[in-house]
Amino acid sequence: METTFNINHTSRTVISNILESHTLEQLNTIPEGFSNNLIWNIGHIVVVQQMLVYNLSGLPMMVSEEMVNKYKRGTKPEHSVTQEEVNEIKSFLFATLEQVKKDFANDIFKTYNEFTTMTGFNIKNAKAAMEFNNYHEGIHTGIMMQIRKFI
């Protein structure tokens, strides 16, 4: 799992740099031809990791149900995100990674509700969920790099 966590840390560092280098207005801008913005992608990444690893393991998530409802698959930005919301999402970028590392070390992931992703990948356990999560974050990091060109 060390490599999986190192990849995720690198991903979160890239995402954090995107977050830090854009204004609140830029984070909220949805460029023409896109259905979401930078901050939605970042919130989505945080929420999906929690859903894939914790929710499907039958364990409590660190994020609120309200946050899940704003950023889960199938949602889109419905309003401009405030600075307070940005700060909350930012706080979860590394806190969720550190917590999942501790939880794997403590072997808390005992059960898992198998899940087939939109790409057809069947996730059978929390370890595979973290591995798939890196792929998912890579997709959204690429989308964010495209969005940056238009804001």
Side-chain angles (χ1 to χ4, degrees):
M1 290 295 297
E2 184 177 344
T3 299
T4 299
F5 293 139
N6 287 342
I7 292 168
N8 198 226
H9 187 271
T10 300
S11 170
R12 297 289 173 104
T13 300
V14 169
I15 293 163
S16 178
N17 290 338
I18 291 171
L19 186 63
E20 292 293 328
S21 62
H22 291 84
T23 66
L24 183 60
E25 181 181 349
Q26 289 172 319
L27 292 171
N28 278 296
T29 299
I30 303 173
E32 188 174 329
F34 289 84
S35 59
N36 51 51
N37 53 31
L38 292 173
I39 195 62
W40 182 90
N41 277 279
I42 298 168
H44 176 72
I45 284 168
V46 168
V47 163
V48 167
Q49 183 261 359
Q50 290 287 290
M51 292 178 72
L52 286 174
V53 179
Y54 289 90
N55 192 52
L56 289 171
S57 293
L59 297 169
M61 297 183 288
M62 289 179 67
V63 298
S64 68
E65 199 63 36
E66 178 185 6
M67 189 170 174
V68 169
N69 290 332
K70 285 183 184 178
Y71 298 103
K72 66 184 177 183
R73 183 180 77 191
T75 64
K76 62 181 180 179
E78 299 291 336
H79 70 284
S80 288
V81 173
T82 65
Q83 187 60 53
E84 290 75 26
E85 290 171 292
V86 169
N87 294 344
E88 179 183 34
I89 291 167
K90 179 181 175 183
S91 74
F92 281 126
L93 274 179
F94 293 101
T96 52
L97 174 58
E98 291 308 312
Q99 187 62 52
V100 79
K101 286 165 65 173
K102 288 177 191 171
D103 290 341
F104 269 98
N106 291 326
D107 197 31
I108 72 162
F109 301 104
K110 302 294 185 193
T111 63
Y112 196 83
N113 297 312
E114 285 190 34
F115 176 74
T116 302
T117 69
M118 289 178 59
T119 58
F121 184 76
N122 190 299
I123 302 173
K124 296 183 181 201
N125 54 50
K127 179 181 182 293
M130 274 305 296
E131 291 166 350
F132 177 81
N133 182 68
N134 284 341
Y135 166 76
H136 178 259
E137 288 194 18
I139 290 171
H140 284 278
T141 301
I143 292 168
M144 287 185 276
M145 289 179 174
Q146 288 299 310
I147 288 173
R148 290 186 323 175
K149 294 178 182 179
F150 299 99
I151 56 172

